Amino acid sequence: MAAPNLKSLTTVTAKMVTYSCTSSLSSVLANGAASGKVYKINNIRAANIDATSTFSVDATIYRSSTHTYLANAIAVPVNSALIIVSKEEYLYLEEGDAIYAKGSTAAKIDLTISYEEIS
């Protein structure tokens, strides 16, 4: 099934996923290859939950066996959050695409992604 035509939508569902980053690049959100859906990514937020040290975050879009970086080793200050993607600069996750992320140290960066599942 092909991704939906945005002029003739049947369903738009608001969704959110949370993820505690590991130190390896891992899938956070994936749109299946034959889902018949497109995901409109409204916001990706990285929060440093450590009270003493700055840690960095990487985030990519994985498409056709290739990672394209949205953020590469971006420092997130102590007890702070960083917006990687905002609603003003939204992006679409097409069929077969995924968002991957990692932190410089495991369990120090929490990622939150808010998106719309469109079909």
Side-chain angles (χ1 to χ4, degrees), residues 75-96:
V76 184
V78 172
N79 288 332
S80 297
L82 173 79
I83 303 297
I84 297 171
V85 173
S86 70
K87 189 165 182 139
E88 290 79 24
E89 298 176 356
Y90 63 86
L91 54 96
Y92 289 106
L93 208 59
E94 298 177 21
E95 291 178 316

Side-chain angles (χ1 to χ4, degrees), residues 21-87:
C21 290
T22 66
S23 57
S24 298
L25 203 55
S26 303
S27 178
V28 178
L29 176 65
N31 185 2
S35 69
K37 300 174 184 176
V38 65
Y39 296 170
K40 180 183 175 194
I41 308 301
N42 293 316
N43 183 280
I44 301 176
R45 173 186 288 264
N48 180 348
I49 60 172
D50 191 81
T52 58
S53 299
T54 295
F55 293 98
S56 64
V57 64
D58 292 7
T60 71
I61 294 179
Y62 185 72
R63 173 181 287 171
S64 303
S65 301
T66 302
H67 288 277
T68 302
Y69 279 81
L70 299 168
N72 186 12
I74 300 296
V76 184
V78 172
N79 288 332
S80 297
L82 173 79
I83 303 297
I84 297 171
V85 173
S86 70
K87 189 165 182 139

